[in-house]
Amino acid sequence: MSTYKVGYIIGRQSKQSVNRTLSKALIRLAPPQLTFTEIPIKDLPLYNHDYDVDYPPEGRTLKAAITLVGAVLFVTPEYNRSMPGALKNAIDWASRPWGDNSFALKPSAVIGASPGKIGTAIAQLSLRSVLGYCNPPQMTSPEAYIQFHPDVFTPAGDVLDDSTRRFLTGFMADFATFIARVRSTLPQLD
Ligand code: FNR
């Protein structure tokens, strides 16, 4: 069985982020063929097209981190019915310079949590639309809009509710299958 390294990007970098807690849960529930490394985005300056002629170290570090993983998992909050600006900024950095898009053909999945009932559904729509242009093959199903309850997720990432745990376990199993399928049809990525 092949193993795959998944880079996960959390839309907010704070230790208090409910999406950081969700990512801990996802890592715990993932099948053993997936390993995880966080791709941090908090030190990125605001992207400016002028950087394309000579990418600064922060941008190079981000692109190198994405190059080193076999797939990307986006774990996004919802800010004002979209993804946080910090996440969009990171995507802009990774997608450039022109002709060197780090996301091209890299299998990806999107998930997110908020205390609200729609569980980042609208943020995920805008994120998926941006990713549609950046060209990572996206797992389109299952969708995962997680309403965050502190009595369901412990800070360490234990999931106390059976149906939520089953759902997240299935999501990660499906992501592993999706990664394997994409990578077997795109051998040049190996
Ligand atoms: C929010 N929040 C929020 N929630 C939501 O469901 N839909 C939304 O559009 C917004 N908009 C929004 C804007 C801004 C600027 C903030 C700071 C917050 C609430 C948000 O879901 C909540 O703060 C979560 O805790 C954010 O996830 P993280 O950052 O804790 O992972």
Side-chain angles (χ1 to χ4, degrees), residues 10-172:
I10 306 174
R12 177 186 170 206
Q13 295 293 288
S14 163
K15 289 201 169 86
Q16 277 79 46
S17 163
V18 302
N19 284 279
R20 178 167 297 285
T21 304
L22 174 62
S23 59
K24 288 181 191 164
L26 294 169
I27 291 168
R28 285 177 172 227
L29 298 172
Q33 67 266 35
L34 300 185
T35 61
F36 293 86
T37 180
E38 180 171 359
I39 298 178
I41 60 172
K42 79 171 173 13
D43 294 329
L44 288 166
L46 200 55
Y47 172 80
N48 179 329
H49 195 182
D50 295 346
Y51 288 132
D52 281 16
V53 287
D54 183 17
Y55 246 40
E58 297 91 337
R60 288 174 192 266
T61 300
L62 175 74
K63 291 177 75 65
I66 296 171
T67 302
L68 284 174
V69 296
V72 179
L73 176 64
F74 293 89
V75 189
T76 189
E78 180 167 286
Y79 277 11
N80 298 318
R81 296 293 185 251
S82 186
M83 76 187 93
L87 178 55
K88 176 61 165 57
N89 184 50
I91 293 171
D92 291 344
W93 274 107
S95 68
R96 291 282 167 153
W98 176 251
D100 183 16
N101 166 20
S102 302
F103 292 121
L105 303 181
K106 191 127 325 208
S108 70
V110 172
I111 190 169
S114 79
K117 278 206 167 79
I118 58 172
T120 72
I122 303 175
Q124 290 189 42
L125 272 180
S126 66
L127 173 55
R128 283 184 181 281
S129 158
V130 168
L131 294 178
Y133 182 72
C134 293
N135 200 26
Q138 296 180 54
M139 182 171 79
T140 51
S141 178
E143 299 168 300
Y145 309 129
I146 310 301
Q147 185 176 19
F148 188 89
H149 286 291
D151 49 348
V152 169
F153 293 88
T154 71
D158 283 317
V159 183
L160 305 177
D161 170 66
D162 285 346
S163 78
T164 306
R165 191 169 55 249
R166 266 198 306 278
F167 175 78
L168 295 176
T169 303
F171 180 88
M172 294 309 281

